[in-house]
Amino acid sequence: MVYSGPMGNHHEQPTPPASTVTEAEWDYTTRAVQSAISRGLGQSIGLPVHTAAAFQFGNLEEAQAEFAQGGGLSYARMQNPTVRMLEERLSSLEGAAHTLALASGQAATFTALMSVCRAGDHIVSASTLFGGSAGLLQNVLPLMSIETTFTDGSPEAMKAALRPNTRVLWAEMISNPSGDVADVAALAEVAHGAGALLAIDNTVGGAGYLARPLEHGADMSVQSLTKWAGGHGSAMGGSVSVGSSDLSRNLIFTEGEERSLLNLHGGAALAQRQRWLGASQLGMTLAPHSAFLLGQGLETVGVRLDRECATAQALAEWLSRHERVSAVSYCGLPEHPSYERAQRYLPRGKGAILTFDVPDPSRFLSRLQLLRIAPNLGDTRTLVVHPWTTTHGRVPEASRRAAGVGPQTIRMTVGLEDLADLQADIEQAL
Ligand SMILES: Cc1ncc(COP(=O)(O)O)c(C=O)c1O
């Protein structure tokens, strides 16, 4: 896909011959740097930043058409050219038909779930979740009379938890922090058999580089772009990507939006509903400067993850042999419960987060000189936290343990530093 700019691309090259390889056939790493950028005289070689709050119409009829149908440029709360380029790039990388980028991963999760649920509906979720997602499901959605049943995330348990009013199944592709890998194909079968949708948080799947849930049957792929997509810990963002399958039976339209959705079906209708809800109505809009940083980060996500996954694998193996460390959890280790599934769903690498238990977390963290204590993931720098008392501190104790977090657990997100330097710092801190 090539975005031609808000005023169109007046210098496009002639249509290539039919035998030319199309963008969809390019490797991920090629699409990461080439997608969403126009070709032609004077076109910017990178992602331009558009800071306008509104966009012009030539006449009243154009304005009326846009307000009736949506999907174009009018007011930047709904769409902005820089954000749109990021969305096109994400669609290309996730194998999606449509993507909505928002101000944070939390905004994306909330929008994805609320785009198909209303009061009285039910969600089935895995319990190995990021604390913020657990908080939304446990504390926020009940305020709108939407109830969630938590399960161990297996297709059997999720099937057993279904109710006639179940609208969505929710799980993380690679769970943060326990590294459980979702059996997406089997979960999609369970969801679709019950007339529900499958939404997968693909944050740790690295913008589709490690995993593309839509290709295995998921209906929505949600992610925090703050993590591997941006990759430098420099901007917040989140996205919801949807496929093109016919999901319209699951949509609930309100009177106000019905008019613009009448001619849309399936993924297009779902995507427009999400933009209406998350951006237009709730205003969780992504700022163009952030979209630029996140879109630029995507250009190197594959290269970074190759190195980070290799380092994470080496550290996991080394730590699991270390006498002062216990309970190392990384889905690239044969003893991890998701090891087999990781071979199937994550051919390029098993992710860049791992957890391990140390005798005295406070002492360990305070002795570190290279690794930094910070709650982010997917940074170029290796970061560690004590999830029990920080990221998961407000999650009920049973849910914390179910999410793979104990009082002695350290979560590490592996960056781009040299492996030997990381080992030396961990060794002296232990
Ligand atoms: C797996 C996962 N999903 C969603 C989020 C929320 O993203 P954000 O912090 O961008 O709102 C996070 C944040 O840590 C996360 O780890």
Side-chain angles (χ1 to χ4, degrees), residues 90-107:
L90 284 163
S91 285
S92 176
L93 298 179
E94 283 275 349
H98 310 272
T99 296
L100 168 68
L102 291 167
S104 68
Q106 269 314 80

Side-chain angles (χ1 to χ4, degrees), residues 104-106 109 130 133 172 176 201 203-204 224 226-227 236-237 377:
S104 68
Q106 269 314 80
T109 301
F130 157 63
S133 306
E172 295 182 2
N176 167 19
D201 182 335
T203 299
V204 189
S224 165
T226 317
K227 311 296 185 302
M236 301 284 303
L377 296 171

Side-chain angles (χ1 to χ4, degrees), residues 113 116-126 137 145-151 157-170 187 190-199 219 249-252:
L113 295 172
V116 285
C117 289
R118 62 180 157 182
D121 282 343
H122 176 244
I123 296 171
V124 177
S125 175
L137 293 166
S145 302
I146 297 167
E147 204 188 326
T148 300
T149 302
F150 291 92
T151 70
M158 286 201 152
K159 190 170 183 178
L162 289 171
R163 297 180 193 167
N165 57 342
T166 304
R167 310 286 283 181
V168 196
L169 269 56
W170 175 258
L187 292 179
V190 170
H192 299 158
L197 301 186
L198 176 63
D219 303 292
R249 67 186 187 285
N250 300 76
L251 292 175
I252 315 119

